[in-house]
Amino acid sequence: MNGYLIIREGSTWTDVVRLVPGESATIGRAPTNTIVIKNERCSRAHAEVFLAQGQWQLRDLDSRNGTFLDDQRLQGDHVLQPGEMIQIGNSQLVFVRELAEAFPDSNTLLKTSRAVEEDGSGLLTARADDASVIDLNESATITHRREQSRYLDSVSLDESDEPIPQIGRAAAKLCRLAFELAKSTDVVTLANVALTGLFEGTQIDAGALLLRGRDSSGARRSEKLEVVASRSDSEHSYHRVSGFLASTVLREGQAVMARNVLDDSQLGNRDSQGEILATSVICAPIRMEGEVLGLIHLYSTDVNRPTDPEDLEYTLAVADTVGVALENLNKRQELAENLNQIRTENVQLREQLGVQSEIIGSSEVMQRVEQQIARAAPSRATVLVRGESGVGKELVARAVHYSGSRNKGPFVCLNCAALSESLLESELFGHEKGAFTGATERKIGKFEASDQGTLMLDEIGEMSPSIQAKFLRVLEGHPFERVGGSEQIQVNVRVIAATNRDLEKDVADGRFRRDLYFRLHVLEIRVPGLRKRPEDIPELAEYFLQRFNEETGRKLMGYTPRAMEELLRYRWPGNVRELKNVIERAVVLAHGEYVDHEDLVLSRLKTAGDTEIDQEGEGVSEDFLPKSLADMEKAHILRTLIATGWNKSRAAGHLGIERSTLDRKIRRYDLARERPR
C-alpha cells in the first residue's frame, strides 16, 4: 500500500511526495492542494490520487486541459502501476511503490531542484555529487538541541572556550545587541544599550550617541545635535564631537575614522593643558530611509589601543541597527499615542452615552424609579419596564445596562411592533443565505449581536404567539437556530422587555403566553407618565432648551411665566417625547429672547390611561396613583407662583392665605429652586 509520486518540472526533478493511505492527494494550481503545480495549463483542482481496494488510483477532476498517462488522456479512474508517468501541463509525476524502484542504490540521495537522469532501464538515477543532499529516509536522528542561541546569551563571547573567528565574534555581538535594542522602550535606554555594545565590541574608551533636533514637523532634520547618552571609561570626561567631523558625517552620510590628528580646531582632541585626549576617532551616521538622524561619536585616549577598520565596520553596523530601532520605537510610540487617544475617545463616548441615558427629574416618583434601577442593575434577572408610550422606557433600560456588570458589552434595542412576524423572527434569531426570498447572505440576529450584553425588546406585547414560544426557549437558556439553518447557537444575553400594554389582561384574553409573562415578570419597573410628576416639567423644559440651543446655535434665555404655566397645566398625552418635540419646535420658532406661550404648539388629544380625575371630575381611571395632600398642595402652589410670575402677594391672594404662610410653604416644599432663571 506504499506509494510515492516523484515530480519533475521541465528537465528538473523537484520533489518526492509520499502517498498516505486514507488521504486523498490532490494536484492543482491552488495553494490548498497537496501537490501545487504553478502552470497555466493546470486547473486550480486538476486531479487526485487516492487508495481504493488496495490500489492507488488516479482521477481527473474535470480539468480544462486534461490529465495524460503516457500521452493518452485519462478517462475515468485509472489504477496506477509502478513507473507510470502522469503528465499535467509541463509537469510530470512518476508513480512508484518503493523508493528503491526509482533509486536502486540504497545510499543514493536526492536533492531538491537537482537534475535526475534516466538510465537505459527507464528507472531514475539521482546524481549524488553534492554533500548537502536530502536523505529520503523517513527516520531521522536528532544530533543537537538548544533552547536559546548563545549569540544572545548575556555572558560575553570572550569567555567562551571555543575558537571563534573575529568576524564571527563581531557578528554574534551585533546579533545580541540588535536583540537588546529591539527591547528598548525609550530613546535614552536605546542609546545606553548601543554604547554598552560599542564599548564591548571596539577599542574605545569614550563616546556618545547624538541625535538631530526635531523641526516644526516633528522630524529629526535640524542641524543642531543633542547628546542623548555619553560614556567615558578614561580619566577624562567625554568631549563633544567637533563641528568639522559632525558636519562631514551629516553631509556625506558616511562613517569616518581619523587618528593622530593634532588640529584642535578639527577634532577637539586636547584638553585645557594641551594634552592629547584622542588618539583615534570614529564617527558613524545613524541612517534611516536615506536620512541621517544623528551620529555615533567614539574615540580612544590610549595610544596602545587605537581603533582599526574592524571597529569602523562594527560601529557602522551598530549605527544602522540603531537607526532601524529608532524608527521602530517611533512607530511604537505613535501606536501607543493613538491607542491612548482612542481610549480617551471611548471614555468620552461612554460618558456622552451615559448623559443620553440619564433620567432627568428629581420628583419623588422618579427617585423611586432610580432606586429600582439601582437594585435591578447588578442582577442578571429579566427586567420588565412598563409605562405609557413616550415616558422613556428605553432610557430606563439603558440605565439598567450601563449601571450593571454588562456595561462593557453591547446594548441592542428592537421594537417588536415595527416588524411583521417573519421579519421579527429573522431580526431576533438571524437567517441563513437562501432561507427565504431576498435572503442573499447570512445575517446574525439581535440575540447574537447582543451576546455578553443586553437586549431590549420594546413593545413585547405585540409579539406573535409562535415567536413567543421560541423566544421563551431562548430565555430559558436553550440554544436556537437561525431561520433556515441547523447550527445550534448559544448566547449569554440579559433581556429587558418593555411594554405599554396591560399584559395581565392579554394573558387572560389568550393573546400573551402565561409562562412567558411569568418569565418576564421577574423584576418590574413602572415609569410614570409626565402628568404624574409635574415637578419635573421645569427641569425637563430647561434641559431640552439648553440642548436645542446648542444644536441650533440660538441663545434663548428661558421661558416666560405664561409659557411655563402652559407647560405645567398641559396634560402631556405624549409624555416626555411630546415635551421634547414641543420645546424643539419652540426653540426654532421663537421670536424673542424667551420662549413665550405663543411659541408652544400643544395638541388637544386626551391622555391615554389617565390616572387622575379627569377635567370634568367624572370618575377615576383603573390605574389611579394615590397622591398625598402635601404633594397636591406643593404642585398647586408652584403652579400659582408660576402663573403670577412669582409675585408672592398676588399668589397668596389667589391661594387665600397670608404672605407669611406662603413663605413658610415655599421653604417647606423647597420651591425656590423651581423658580425659572
Side-chain angles (χ1 to χ4, degrees), residues 116-351:
V116 179
E117 300 174 349
E118 295 187 15
D119 59 12
S121 63
L123 294 178
L124 305 175
T125 304
R127 295 186 302 181
D129 54 356
D130 195 316
S132 59
V133 294
I134 300 175
D135 194 348
L136 294 175
N137 294 331
E138 297 178 11
S139 61
T141 302
I142 298 175
T143 59
H144 295 78
R145 290 181 183 270
R146 184 172 292 276
E147 183 177 357
Q148 182 176 351
S149 172
R150 61 191 177 93
Y151 295 145
L152 300 180
D153 197 346
S154 58
V155 179
S156 174
L157 290 174
D158 295 333
E159 301 178 8
S160 175
D161 297 333
E162 301 180 16
I164 302 176
Q166 181 180 359
I167 188 171
R169 290 179 179 272
K173 290 179 180 178
L174 184 61
C175 176
R176 190 178 68 206
L177 179 60
F179 184 74
E180 295 297 328
L181 289 173
K183 297 190 296 183
S184 301
T185 57
D186 57 82
V187 177
V188 176
T189 302
L190 185 146
N192 286 318
V193 170
L195 287 178
T196 301
L198 288 166
F199 272 68
E200 292 178 359
T202 59
Q203 301 292 326
I204 53 112
D205 52 25
L209 189 147
L210 303 92
L211 292 178
R212 280 180 159 177
R214 298 185 183 274
D215 57 13
S216 57
S217 65
R220 295 190 181 277
R221 298 193 182 95
S222 174
E223 294 299 324
K224 182 180 179 181
L225 289 172
E226 302 173 354
V227 177
V228 180
S230 63
R231 174 177 169 180
S232 176
D233 292 347
S234 67
E235 59 183 3
H236 304 284
S237 60
Y238 166 74
H239 282 252
R240 189 183 178 95
V241 63
S242 67
F244 169 74
L245 275 182
S247 60
T248 301
V249 174
L250 293 177
R251 181 179 65 254
E252 299 179 1
Q254 295 180 343
V256 299
M257 182 176 67
R259 62 175 55 172
N260 297 328
V261 180
L262 305 180
D263 186 355
D264 183 65
S265 64
Q266 293 181 348
L267 288 180
N269 62 337
R270 292 175 180 267
D271 62 9
S272 58
Q273 285 75 31
E275 296 180 357
I276 297 177
L277 295 178
T279 61
S280 55
V281 180
I282 292 177
C283 273
I286 300 174
R287 301 171 296 195
M288 187 60 196
E289 297 181 352
E291 293 187 3
V292 180
L293 307 178
L295 56 87
I296 293 177
H297 173 225
L298 308 173
Y299 60 85
S300 174
T301 61
D302 189 351
V303 293
N304 297 321
R305 298 179 66 223
T307 58
D308 55 28
E310 293 296 332
D311 294 335
L312 180 65
E313 291 281 354
Y314 185 78
T315 304
L316 182 57
V318 172
D320 287 339
T321 306
V322 169
V324 176
L326 277 174
E327 183 68 17
N328 293 336
L329 183 60
N330 290 336
K331 290 181 179 179
R332 288 204 304 268
Q333 290 176 345
E334 290 178 2
L335 289 174
E337 292 174 358
N338 293 337
L339 181 60
N340 289 333
Q341 182 179 358
I342 291 173
R343 286 176 176 172
T344 302
E345 291 176 355
N346 285 340
V347 172
Q348 293 175 351
L349 289 174
R350 287 188 179 277
E351 290 177 352

Side-chain angles (χ1 to χ4, degrees), residues 355-374:
V355 169
Q356 295 295 327
S357 300
E358 284 183 358
I359 300 173
I360 306 300
S362 56
S363 62
E364 183 179 351
V365 290
M366 290 311 299
Q367 290 178 5
R368 287 199 297 267
V369 170
E370 292 176 357
Q371 292 172 1
Q372 292 174 345
I373 292 173

